[in-house]
Amino acid sequence: MLSKMYYRELYCGTPVRFWMGLALLTTFILIGLGSAYYMEHSGHWVTGMSNQVVWGLPHVFAIFLIVAASGALNVASIGSVFGGPMYKPLGRYSSLLAIGLLVGGLIVLVLDLGRPDRLIVAMTEYNFKSIFAWNVILYSGFIGIVAVYLWTMMDRSVNKLYRPLGFIAFFWRIALTTGTGSIFGFLVAREAYDAAIMAPMFVIMSFSYGLAFFIVTLIAAYLWSDRQIGELRLAKLKNLLGVFVGAVLYFTLVFNLTNLYATQHHGIERFILLDGGVYTQMFWFGQVLVGGVIPLFLIYSPAFDKSRWAIAAASIAVLIGGFFQLYVIVIGGQAYPMTVFPGKEVLESSFYDGVVSSYVPTFAEGALGVGGIAIALALVAIGARMFKVFPESLEDPEEA
Amino acid sequence: MRSSFFSRKCILGLLAGAALAIPAMQAAAQSTYVTKGSKAASEKSCVAETSDIRRNHMDYMKHGRDEVVIDGDRTGQYSLAGCIDCHAAKDASGKYLPVDSEDQFCHSCHAYVAVNPACFQCHRTTPEKRD
Amino acid sequence: MSKQSDQPGMNRRQLIGGVIAATGAVTIAPGLILHAVAGNPQQKKGASSEKRWGMVIDANKCADGCSACVDACNDEHNLTGFDRPATDAQWIRTVKLKDKQTGHINRMVMLCQHCEFPPCVDVCPTNASFKRVDGIVLVDRHRCIGCRYCMMACPYKARSFIHEALADQSVNAPRGKGCVESCTLCVHRVDAGKTTTACQDACQKEGHAAILFGDLNDPKSRISQVLKSNNSTQIRADLELNTGVRYLNL
């Protein structure tokens, strides 16, 4: 028998601990917003972005957060769609985190637009052939659906809608990450993209990053508020993360193997896997080693059996690796020269045809991205303080 | 053009505009409303009834911009370049003053109603002379 | 009139006011009616769908070291740079190519290829990237939010993002910070009834005559005749975009 769950607002040992945490996040948010203002005011030439690398570090952060947002809902989905009783008490927090991460990511994305003041145009003018336009609907719909989903978990009077909404939210989030992956999958002209596997790969990446985000923030919140998490519950989350990390590696393997088969993709594969300099290093050391091999070792090695520090470290490694993975996809894919003239070598061009484009991120871009993460975490902290999302205790049920 | 309406300043501007625009227009009608030294100062009326233009110029221009940009029809009666050619004043040295600079044609009225025209983020503010 | 030319601002207004159907209809209706009258086909104003503007570039005639067309384009549209080649706008650029197998060297100019099926138009979320009925691909900067997705999608690297604030733009090409832009095929000239582009004039003046602009739909136009009697190529023809810019001797 599962004992009854009591949910309680997030109160730390002393009020100072909560407010200091929030003040720290606010500092990052202000630095991020200041950076965004600086970039918008001066124009994008003050960033590392150019006419060759048009999407830079802010996009890596934004896509990372958006993809993770969808994955953060894993736990709630398992609780309601797949009926996992161990996960159900975590559903509320899972939904809150999903909303927070998505809002953080969207703010970064919007603040990097050339004309963020015209955002309203993106809501009144739709080109339904554009996956971006679809994403506007998918992202805003996600926030709305998950908010209602959260409501059905917290209010008994609407509890009968809990399961249907669980299903809707589950399908919507799959659509959302499919849409995000398709931003790249639909780019026919670029060798690094233009692959249908992008969509499912982004779905599986979202499972992995989102769960890692969930584990890290859950452990942090419970430390922050001096509450207990049972070993069994963490072990369940840990095993799930292991499966997702393996799946991301598998998709990476299939994606690259497919490219290696087609002659026209040999150039980009050589660039990413062998001689792309910083991108090659990010791929092997960042994505594969830190984001794949190390977390798998931490998760499955008997040496770290029930160590929650190993679980936290594995989750953080997944996040770092995921960030590098997106950096390689987004920026590495643009840095590699697009084949405009197949079969020809470019001897001279004033517009960087045929040469690897350089991209050096600036402080402001990074600060905007970090500000986005801080916005996500601050929203979650405030939400958890205002609503009863965290169970008072996550000790394992006695029977188990 | 309208996008800047959504900055906070401009929403306030809209509110202020709703309250103030009509009396302001009437007040302006009695005073001189074209800039001294501009070509417009010597004309009897604007490209249409002046009161009509004063009230509806933004809609005419927005309408015209879609005709020009999307339909490629540049024969319309209203054009922003036309406004600027006619309403830009010259300074003492004979150089054109930007229409959106302090006390010049666009600025004087828009500052009063606190509406910030976004036109000049892309459009030039003085008549263009090409050789 | 086409739905595309409906005025975005009207929708926005509706949104602000929160006034839904009735008032909205009253607001929009006059705009639509006015627009319908202005677009009356009998008057034959503006771009015509009977035409398809295009260009043919003869790589053999493009002279080494010459940049007359680039200079003319910059002058025509007042594309002043900031001496920052990575972020300065380039609507037309010269490129020198060498065949990897045969060593044959070509020189030619790259610009927006004005595709019949432009990827930039497909991906644009706000319909800011659009193709005119006469085949010219443009950016409506009143709707561009500066997301740069079109630059990701364009197979020709034809587009530039405006990375800094500008002043003293030309009436021929109003442009400003935060929007994307590319070759307009001298649309201001086309609308004025002129039959050449700035780059073509400059190339002619230099005595190379490597660039020819004209109506691809008119079998009697010079460009159609040149293309009919010569073997021409499209760049990245594998993408089947049916480009409006064709190349000879490439």
Side-chain angles (χ1 to χ4, degrees):
Chain A
M1 276 296 295
L2 287 169
S3 56
K4 187 153 172 42
M5 274 294 163
Y6 292 98
Y7 295 88
R8 213 171 141 230
E9 294 90 341
L10 182 74
Y11 281 99
C12 305
T14 60
V16 178
R17 272 178 85 187
F18 180 80
W19 293 111
M20 285 301 280
L22 217 53
L24 183 71
L25 291 174
T26 311
T27 312
F28 282 114
I29 294 172
L30 289 178
I31 295 173
L33 292 180
S35 302
Y37 176 77
Y38 162 70
M39 289 188 284
E40 290 300 338
H41 182 76
S42 330
H44 273 67
W45 75 275
V46 298
T47 70
M49 290 175 266
S50 63
N51 284 327
Q52 287 69 45
V53 177
V54 300
W55 288 348
L57 197 53
H59 298 81
V60 177
F61 273 101
I63 295 169
F64 181 65
L65 285 169
I66 289 167
V67 165
S70 160
L73 203 63
N74 279 340
V75 174
S77 293
I78 296 169
S80 53
V81 177
F82 302 105
M86 285 290 271
Y87 294 98
K88 209 172 162 184
L90 294 167
R92 296 182 181 186
Y93 176 59
S94 165
S95 310
L96 178 67
L97 181 65
I99 295 176
L101 291 174
L102 191 73
V103 171
L106 286 182
I107 287 177
V108 175
L109 199 62
V110 165
L111 288 180
D112 186 72
L113 290 177
R115 301 292 310 248
D117 53 318
R118 284 194 188 150
L119 184 62
I120 197 79
V121 178
M123 294 163 197
T124 56
E125 279 279 334
Y126 282 103
N127 169 17
F128 286 105
K129 204 178 172 187
S130 166
I131 193 71
F132 249 31
W134 281 102
N135 283 344
V136 173
I137 298 170
L138 288 171
Y139 295 164
S140 41
F142 182 82
I143 295 174
I145 288 170
V146 176
V148 179
Y149 184 33
L150 182 59
W151 177 33
T152 63
M153 290 182 219
M154 296 175 63
D155 184 349
R156 271 177 196 284
S157 65
V158 287
N159 195 253
K160 63 171 181 283
L161 293 173
Y162 167 62
R163 272 182 71 79
L165 265 153
F167 275 95
I168 295 172
F170 178 72
F171 288 114
W172 197 275
R173 52 176 289 224
I174 301 287
L176 183 147
T177 13
T178 303
T180 310
S182 300
I183 290 175
F184 298 98
F186 288 0
L187 289 174
V188 290
R190 290 189 185 251
E191 285 77 10
Y193 310 128
D194 183 31
I197 199 176
M198 281 286 180
M201 189 163 83
F202 268 63
V203 172
I204 212 73
M205 279 154 60
S206 88
F207 287 178
S208 175
Y209 310 168
L211 187 59
F213 239 116
F214 181 85
I215 295 173
V216 172
T217 53
L218 183 75
I219 292 177
Y222 272 61
L223 275 179
W224 205 17
S225 59
D226 301 316
R227 297 187 204 183
Q228 301 304 317
I229 311 178
E231 277 182 348
L232 195 64
R233 240 182 261 275
L234 272 183
K236 282 221 164 207
L237 292 173
K238 175 184 102 161
N239 290 338
L240 195 61
L241 184 66
V243 173
F244 292 154
V245 170
V248 170
L249 280 179
Y250 167 74
F251 269 85
T252 308
L253 180 72
V254 173
F255 175 68
N256 286 295
L257 278 180
T258 316
N259 274 351
L260 282 170
Y261 195 84
T263 309
Q264 70 173 122
H265 289 133
H266 285 180
I268 177 72
E269 282 302 312
R270 198 182 163 78
F271 181 71
I272 299 293
L273 303 180
L274 282 180
D275 57 13
V278 62
Y279 304 106
T280 303
Q281 290 169 14
M282 282 185 190
F283 178 80
W284 289 112
F285 296 113
Q287 179 182 340
V288 176
L289 186 67
V290 177
V293 177
I294 290 179
L296 283 180
F297 179 70
L298 287 171
I299 290 168
Y300 289 117
S301 164
F304 304 109
D305 184 26
K306 277 170 184 161
S307 155
R308 56 189 59 200
W309 294 112
I311 299 174
S315 303
I316 290 170
V318 167
L319 291 178
I320 295 171
F323 186 82
F324 281 123
Q325 178 168 19
L326 280 170
Y327 196 99
V328 171
I329 291 176
V330 176
I331 295 169
Q334 293 175 82
Y336 180 74
M338 186 159 53
T339 310
V340 183
F341 312 101
K344 309 264 186 187
E345 180 193 340
V346 180
L347 297 180
E348 279 170 28
S349 164
S350 57
F351 208 60
Y352 305 89
D353 289 294
V355 294
V356 174
S357 302
S358 81
Y359 170 76
V360 182
T362 56
F363 172 80
E365 290 165 88
L368 172 60
V370 172
I373 296 181
I375 288 173
L377 295 180
L379 279 176
V380 170
I382 294 168
R385 174 81 162 201
M386 292 172 71
F387 299 109
K388 296 175 177 170
V389 296
F390 280 119
E392 188 126 28
S393 163
L394 279 173
E395 285 291 6
D396 296 329
E398 280 164 38
E399 299 287 289
Chain B
M1 225 159 68
R2 274 292 170 82
S3 49
S4 69
F5 271 20
F6 288 83
S7 68
R8 212 180 317 134
K9 193 170 137 196
C10 291
I11 289 184
L12 287 177
L14 273 181
L15 293 175
L20 296 175
I22 296 162
M25 294 295 178
Q26 283 161 351
Q30 276 129 38
S31 64
T32 50
Y33 38 81
V34 289
T35 319
K36 253 188 204 166
S38 67
K39 193 175 145 205
S42 60
E43 301 280 336
K44 274 211 177 89
S45 81
C46 200
V47 288
E49 195 66 38
T50 307
S51 57
D52 178 28
I53 291 291
R54 220 177 294 151
R55 172 65 57 86
N56 296 318
H57 64 280
M58 65 301 267
D59 293 326
Y60 293 154
M61 281 195 288
K62 189 160 66 180
H63 187 70
R65 96 186 182 196
D66 287 343
E67 280 176 0
V68 170
V69 177
I70 297 165
D71 305 336
D73 175 6
R74 298 185 193 235
T75 59
Q77 185 180 3
Y78 312 109
S79 91
L80 179 61
C83 304
I84 293 159
D85 284 348
C86 203
H87 285 284
K90 288 179 182 168
D91 67 6
S93 64
K95 255 184 70 185
Y96 277 113
L97 295 160
V99 285
D100 63 338
S101 57
E102 189 106 0
D103 290 333
Q104 291 305 303
F105 182 66
C106 297
H107 180 269
S108 50
C109 199
H110 280 109
Y112 188 73
V113 295
V115 172
N116 184 16
C119 312
F120 304 112
Q121 292 168 5
C122 288
H123 289 275
R124 62 180 295 118
T125 54
T126 54
E128 183 176 34
K129 284 235 178 73
R130 292 195 78 93
D131 337 300
Chain C
M1 272 318 288
S2 68
K3 228 181 161 187
Q4 257 208 339
S5 50
D6 190 12
Q7 300 183 17
M10 293 299 185
N11 289 331
R12 263 177 267 155
R13 233 193 228 172
Q14 247 176 298
L15 205 95
I16 290 189
V19 188
I20 310 169
T23 325
V26 172
T27 323
I28 289 175
L32 283 180
I33 293 162
L34 268 174
H35 210 268
V37 171
N40 191 335
Q42 284 179 328
Q43 298 175 331
K44 289 256 177 200
K45 279 181 184 171
S48 158
S49 56
E50 284 155 29
K51 297 193 185 304
R52 179 169 184 215
W53 297 110
M55 197 173 256
V56 57
I57 292 159
D58 190 336
N60 276 0
K61 294 182 183 167
C62 184
D64 214 355
C66 174
S67 65
C69 55
V70 179
D71 300 337
C73 179
N74 290 346
D75 182 54
E76 180 87 5
H77 307 101
N78 205 6
L79 308 182
T80 45
F82 295 80
D83 265 334
R84 293 191 281 263
T87 51
D88 283 345
Q90 292 193 32
W91 292 13
I92 182 169
R93 64 184 190 268
T94 57
V95 179
K96 199 177 195 178
L97 303 172
K98 182 175 154 191
D99 192 292
K100 281 179 190 164
Q101 175 65 37
T102 64
H104 179 72
I105 289 181
N106 266 135
R107 193 172 190 272
M108 38 88 86
V109 287
M110 274 304 287
L111 64 163
C112 170
Q113 305 284 302
H114 297 279
C115 313
E116 184 186 359
F117 306 106
C120 55
V121 174
D122 289 345
V123 300
C124 177
T126 62
N127 292 317
S129 256
F130 71 104
K131 192 181 64 161
R132 272 182 18 153
V133 290
D134 56 1
I136 301 181
V137 177
L138 293 175
V139 179
D140 181 351
R141 290 152 209 263
H142 304 106
R143 286 186 289 187
C144 176
I145 57 172
C147 72
R148 285 107 79 199
Y149 197 16
C150 55
M151 300 176 73
M152 291 291 278
C154 176
Y156 305 105
K157 280 172 66 120
R159 291 205 156 173
S160 297
F161 179 70
I162 305 179
H163 286 77
E164 53 273 284
L166 304 174
D168 274 329
Q169 297 91 332
S170 168
V171 169
N172 295 342
R175 48 199 291 270
K177 183 179 77 183
C179 291
V180 176
E181 58 182 8
S182 58
C183 160
T184 63
L185 221 49
C186 280
V187 70
H188 56 286
R189 289 180 174 227
V190 172
D191 289 344
K194 290 185 190 160
T195 54
T196 58
T197 61
C199 51
Q200 177 183 357
D201 284 353
C203 192
Q204 186 78 42
K205 207 171 154 196
E206 288 294 308
H208 305 311
I211 302 175
L212 175 62
F213 166 84
D215 180 8
L216 299 171
N217 277 358
D218 174 8
K220 279 181 271 180
S221 68
R222 233 183 94 210
I223 186 171
S224 296
Q225 288 170 353
V226 167
L227 286 171
K228 191 161 187 195
S229 52
N230 289 281
N231 181 27
S232 66
T233 39
Q234 304 174 50
I235 296 180
R236 290 297 312 260
D238 57 316
L239 297 172
E240 306 253 18
L241 302 175
N242 189 10
T243 58
V245 176
R246 304 293 176 111
Y247 291 83
L248 299 182
N249 301 309
L250 189 64

